[in-house]
Amino acid sequence: MAGGPVATSNGIGADAPKNKWAGIFMTAFAAFGGILFGYDTGTIGGIIAMNDWLCTFGDLTPTGCQITTSQKSLVVSILSAGTVLGALAAAPIADWTGRRMGTIISCLIFSIGVAFQTASTAMPLFVVGRIVAGVGVGLVSCLIPMYQSECSPKWIRGAVVSCYQWAITMGLLLASILNNATQNRPDHSSYRIPIAIQFIWAIILSLGMFLLPESPRYLVKRGRADAAAIALSRLLGVPPSHRIVVAELSAIQENLRLEEGIQQSSYLDCFRDGGNRIRLRTITGIAIQGWQQLTGINFIFYYGTSFFKNSHVGNPFLQSVATNVVNVGMTVPGIWLVDRAGRRSLLLIGALGMLICEYTIAITGVTISTENIAGQKVLVAFVCIYIAFFAATWGPIPWVVTGEIFPLNVRAKAMSLSIASNWIWNWGIGFATPYLVDPGKGNADLGVKVFFIWGTTCLGCLVFTYLCIPETKGLALEQVDILYQNSTPRNSIKYRNQLMAKEEGRTKENEDVEVHSSEEKV
């Protein structure tokens, strides 16, 4: 058998009653960090279409106030430059200050960026604010899934981590509603109100994280076993001396000793192969976050208002609200299914569904005119169906996968590389899209034909999932190591079922022993 850490734990709360909602609520609350991500992503798409913002930051032309394609590209994509820096900085911050305090620091940095944007009346300060806020968002986007994966009970870990994506969708929806409410205000408040609202999200997240326990796995890694026991007791709803806490703490300590005995933790270790197949896992994490962006979803949420304006079907701001309602609503089935249908199956179904929808949108767009209202309504309908497939599958599940496939000794660094990949692709797509879609000299002027590109990338998502994503549903983080050591993604479902069967057998034996002991005492 391949070398590497042995799964000595059934996961946090595996033996505790499944009605310990206190710990579940604590880790689910951390998902509120997704509001920062989603709201900032959603608000900029509406702001760059507001007349007062265009007249303040752009130029007056015979057809009204406008900004150039390059300015639009810069304003939208520059946030992602900051998020890449934040994601890469998340690893040392997570290992130095902890997952919880690191998130609070992230909120402070984010708030500074929001203050710059709110106060700005010229492009340079607005861009600087976008970069600084991006650093905060990048930190949060790495630290929150890490915290949730390390603190959640394994039997509901997928759903808890998926709540992060649900919070992102709610942030997008809130942004579209506020943009629609303020778009026609005749002064700077039209864009300042939606931007300044972000202070509220940062304050709520900071106060909540201040009250939550630190990750027990982080505390064990720092040699603070007593503090880890207290954190576990809060998450499990039992006293620190309870046998479940003692057993879980011992398992985490043993797993960390085994991992550290194999190799020291550095960024190079993320790409060193061995029995644990860490290189494959790191590449998988980097790739799945990149493929999530390459589904083309942020084309809708960054430039959807402009896209719907060209379709001539109703109010483009209200169309944006409608697509965000679909995004929020269809994330709920994904949260429910991820721990039932599994990660791999949902990713395959989602990629196939998006592929069909995006090719349909592209073909419809090139075969009908913009004056064909019925045809344009069909196009908008398929955009909503495409978003539904994304929201239930490729929206939440990449966060779940990257939160659970890495061993503890490299988890922070491997996750930071994975999340940085998400933001690098986010930046690239945000930067390139205006040049791909907009008319004008030097631009590709693809328009709706850009969906041929997104459809093809979804085909890539399908192939990647089949070859590289194992089924980890219901496994403890330590059991994922065994899965990688002894199976391939294509036969992982069979091996995962064997692991689960062995665990159920051990649990039944423990229950029989406890019953027998009780009878003897009587």
Side-chain angles (χ1 to χ4, degrees), residues 231-251:
L232 280 167
S233 73
R234 291 183 63 189
L235 291 167
L236 297 176
V238 295
S241 59
H242 195 281
R243 63 175 181 83
I244 296 175
V245 172
V246 173
E248 182 64 33
L249 182 61
S250 176

Side-chain angles (χ1 to χ4, degrees), residues 230-447:
I230 293 172
L232 280 167
S233 73
R234 291 183 63 189
L235 291 167
L236 297 176
V238 295
S241 59
H242 195 281
R243 63 175 181 83
I244 296 175
V245 172
V246 173
E248 182 64 33
L249 182 61
S250 176
I252 295 172
Q253 290 172 322
E254 178 63 19
N255 194 67
L256 180 62
R257 279 194 295 270
L258 289 168
E259 289 176 350
E260 289 180 339
I262 298 169
Q263 57 187 10
Q264 295 299 310
S265 175
S266 71
Y267 275 103
L268 287 177
D269 290 324
C270 296
F271 297 96
R272 286 183 178 142
D273 214 355
N276 259 1
R277 306 179 77 183
I278 291 177
R279 181 167 59 195
L280 170 63
R281 293 154 84 167
T282 302
I283 293 172
T284 298
I286 291 171
I288 195 171
Q289 289 289 339
W291 283 117
Q292 185 201 50
Q293 292 301 306
L294 286 167
T295 60
I297 192 66
N298 278 337
F299 169 75
I300 297 298
F301 296 125
Y302 280 149
Y303 302 105
T305 304
S306 302
F307 175 75
F308 291 125
K309 187 182 294 185
N310 293 332
S311 70
H312 303 295
V313 182
N315 184 330
F317 281 88
L318 291 179
Q319 295 284 354
S320 181
V321 172
T323 57
N324 279 291
V325 169
V326 173
N327 196 25
V328 172
M330 288 306 299
T331 302
V332 177
I335 293 172
W336 187 80
L337 287 168
V338 67
D339 286 315
R340 291 168 175 81
R343 288 69 159 142
R344 179 178 170 89
S345 299
L346 287 178
L347 288 173
L348 288 170
I349 293 169
L352 181 62
M354 289 188 295
L355 183 158
I356 293 171
C357 287
E358 292 188 293
Y359 277 131
T360 303
I361 294 167
I363 293 169
T364 303
V366 299
T367 54
I368 64 171
S369 68
T370 56
E371 285 74 29
N372 186 332
I373 301 301
Q376 293 297 320
K377 287 181 178 179
V378 169
L379 186 149
V380 172
F382 270 97
V383 168
C384 290
I385 297 170
Y386 150 64
I387 291 172
F389 273 109
F390 174 87
T393 58
W394 276 86
I397 297 177
W399 301 104
V400 176
V401 170
T402 52
E404 65 188 10
I405 64 173
F406 303 121
L408 179 58
N409 66 324
V410 298
R411 184 171 297 142
K413 295 177 177 63
M415 280 196 69
S416 73
L417 290 171
S418 300
I419 306 306
S421 167
N422 182 294
W423 287 113
I424 288 170
W425 283 105
N426 190 304
W427 169 81
I429 292 169
F431 183 83
T433 295
Y435 295 103
L436 290 172
V437 176
D438 289 355
K441 185 177 180 181
N443 297 335
D445 193 17
L446 291 178

Side-chain angles (χ1 to χ4, degrees), residues 175-197:
S176 63
I177 291 171
L178 282 164
N179 282 342
N180 184 60
T182 66
Q183 60 168 310
N184 294 321
R185 295 177 72 94
D187 52 26
H188 295 338
S189 65
S190 61
Y191 68 87
R192 282 179 169 167
I193 290 175
I195 293 172
I197 287 290

